[in-house]
Structures are given as C-alpha cells and as structure tokens.
Amino acid sequence: MCNNLIMSSYPLPEGFSEFDVFSLGSCLLVEDMGISTNATIAAFSSFLRYWPYGSEGCQTHGFHGFLTALSSIHFIAAIAWDRYHQYCTRTKLQWSCVITLAIFIWLFAAFWASMPLIGWGEYDYEPLRTCCTLDMSKGDRNYVSYVIPMAICNMGIQVLVVFSSYQSIGKKFMKTGQERFNCTTPMKTLLFCWGPYGILAFYATVKNANLLSPKLRMIAPIMAKASPTFNVFVYALGNEKYRGGIWQLLTGQKIDAQATENKSK
C-alpha cells in the first residue's frame, strides 16, 4: 500500500521509465558498499522518486559525494606511489609520512569540494533528480574555470602517478620474474570508473550537456560512484597479505608466506 502511494504521488522523471528508476536506484543501493551514507541517501531518494532533503540537503550531499570521490582518486595515486617504493626502491614509507599524506589528501579534496559551496562551480541535482553532484548543465565561464584546474589537480596528476608507478613496478617484476599482481588492473579500473565522468565533464565545457540523453548523463556518475566498490577487490582482495589476513580471520589458520608468494608468480 505504501509503495503504491509513493509510486502514484510522484511522476517519473523526464526521460526515464519505471525500469530505469528501479535499476538506477538498485545500482546506487549496491554501491552503498563503497560510498556508505552518501549512496544510501541517494538510493533511498531514487526509490522515493524525489529528493526529500531540500536545497541545503542537496548542497551537503553534493559536497560529501565530491569530497569522498576526490579523496578516493588521491588515495589510489598514493597507494601506487607507496607500491612503487615498496617494490622498486625497497623502502617503506614512514608512518609520519603516511599520516601527513593522508591529512593532506583530505584537506586538498575538501578544498576543491567546498568551492562550489561558495560560488566557484555549483552543485545541483543529477538527471534523475534524486541525488546531487557537480552541475554540468550550464557549461558557463564559472563552470569551465572551475572544472579544468580541478580535473588537472584531482585527476590528471593522479593518472600520471598511477601510470608511471605501475609501469615501473611492471618493469621490475619482468626483471625479477616475481609478479605479485597485475600492474595494469589499477589503471584500467581507474579509467573505467572515472573515464566516462571525466569525458562528460569536459564535454560540458564545449557543448551543451543537456543535449545528451538523461540516462547517458546518469550512467557516468553512477560508474564513478562504483569506484570504491571496485577498489575493495583491486587493492584489498588483490593483495596477498590482506587475503592471508582474511583467511586467518575466517579459519584461524595462517597462510604460509612462501606459498602465497609462489602462487602469485
């Protein structure tokens, strides 16, 4: 009864069918594993078919989502840099360096995520109008002046760090013949999740993004929000030490380090 009332009270968003609304809402619900509260709120709103938290809630949701998204990209680059040191220079980062880097990443991401709140860039509803992100609909000077330096500082540099780090690691593995993991997977995952969003963001700087299908404009942010979920498999379950720790937690048995290393070759 309650579901029927919700369905009848609010019409479908323009350009979306019943299946589209339910499917996109389901995607956001599953992605809750990666973005937690932000995705849960978006999933709840998707099933309601409207945003129930007002304009201030939209701004908060957009800031929180962008903050976690940008920090996620930075931490991917930080992990790549750390792995480079571990496998290529045989040096480990000191805890003081790690903590400083983590604090810097959060503050740096917070700076860029907060700019739309004070007028440089803007947060607004995504095409489904049940969650909020960076507004790409206007494509005006304010948007262009924000998105280009933001993308360079929060995506371009990170892609170069990830690419160069894993390329060096790959060459090291080839020389030693001891491959611990697939060096191309992190880069492929990063581009797969964030490539569509980046392309859409830059497309909006030269063309009217509203001319694109609402569904197409909705897929890009959903893929970007899936990034933390993919990272669980790429960085946690793909690491022999994490796998060994999980196995020990579940079974109480330790995995022999030498055996794990041999399986990774």
Side-chain angles (χ1 to χ4, degrees):
M1 177 72 70
C2 183
N3 288 337
N4 291 334
L5 288 174
I6 291 174
M7 293 291 187
S8 60
S9 300
Y10 295 94
L12 288 169
E14 183 180 356
F16 293 89
S17 66
E18 290 275 0
F19 178 76
D20 296 326
V21 173
F22 187 82
S23 298
L24 292 171
S26 298
C27 286
L28 290 166
L29 184 61
V30 171
E31 290 171 9
D32 174 53
M33 292 184 298
I35 310 183
S36 189
T37 305
N38 193 274
T40 302
I41 293 172
F44 177 71
S45 302
S46 295
F47 291 127
L48 285 180
R49 290 192 182 178
Y50 78 107
W51 179 257
Y53 308 108
S55 59
E56 291 185 1
C58 179
Q59 297 301 304
T60 302
H61 186 260
F63 167 77
H64 178 261
F66 218 54
L67 170 65
T68 53
L70 294 181
S71 61
S72 173
I73 298 174
H74 283 284
F75 277 113
I76 289 173
I79 291 172
W81 187 56
D82 176 57
R83 280 183 163 181
Y84 166 77
H85 281 280
Q86 179 180 351
Y87 292 109
C88 296
T89 67
R90 295 296 180 182
T91 59
K92 292 184 178 181
L93 298 180
Q94 299 295 321
W95 271 112
S96 58
C97 179
V98 173
I99 293 173
T100 301
L101 180 61
I103 293 174
F104 173 78
I105 286 174
W106 281 111
L107 291 177
F108 192 74
F111 168 79
W112 287 101
S114 64
M115 287 300 101
L117 298 177
I118 60 176
W120 192 25
E122 183 179 352
Y123 291 126
D124 204 350
Y125 299 106
E126 293 180 357
L128 196 60
R129 299 192 68 79
T130 57
C131 42
C132 300
T133 188
L134 185 65
D135 183 19
M136 303 181 187
S137 62
K138 298 182 178 66
D140 55 10
R141 181 176 297 179
N142 179 50
Y143 170 79
V144 174
S145 68
Y146 171 75
V147 78
I148 291 179
M150 182 277 297
I152 293 174
C153 293
N154 296 277
M155 185 67 176
I157 295 174
Q158 287 66 35
V159 167
L160 288 176
V161 170
V162 172
F163 176 77
S164 59
S165 295
Y166 285 111
Q167 188 179 48
S168 299
I169 295 171
K171 291 179 179 178
K172 185 70 174 183
F173 285 167
M174 290 180 63
K175 290 180 179 179
T176 61
Q178 296 182 350
E179 184 174 352
R180 302 293 185 89
F181 52 85
N182 190 327
C183 294
T184 63
T185 299
M187 187 68 184
K188 289 178 180 178
T189 304
L190 178 62
L191 294 179
F192 174 78
C193 292
W194 285 101
Y197 192 88
I199 292 172
L200 179 61
F202 276 101
Y203 178 85
T205 65
V206 295
K207 296 287 185 179
N208 184 359
N210 292 323
L211 298 177
L212 298 175
S213 164
K215 296 178 188 178
L216 185 62
R217 287 185 283 127
M218 192 68 202
I219 289 174
I222 283 207
M223 291 181 66
K225 290 173 184 177
S227 177
T229 305
F230 280 101
N231 291 342
V232 171
F233 297 95
V234 174
Y235 296 101
L237 300 181
N239 183 288
E240 64 271 11
K241 292 184 179 179
Y242 280 112
R243 289 199 306 270
I246 293 173
W247 179 258
Q248 184 177 357
L249 176 66
L250 296 176
T251 66
Q253 300 176 353
K254 287 186 177 182
I255 297 179
D256 182 67
Q258 186 65 38
T260 304
E261 186 173 308
N262 292 334
K263 289 180 181 179
S264 302
K265 292 180 180 180

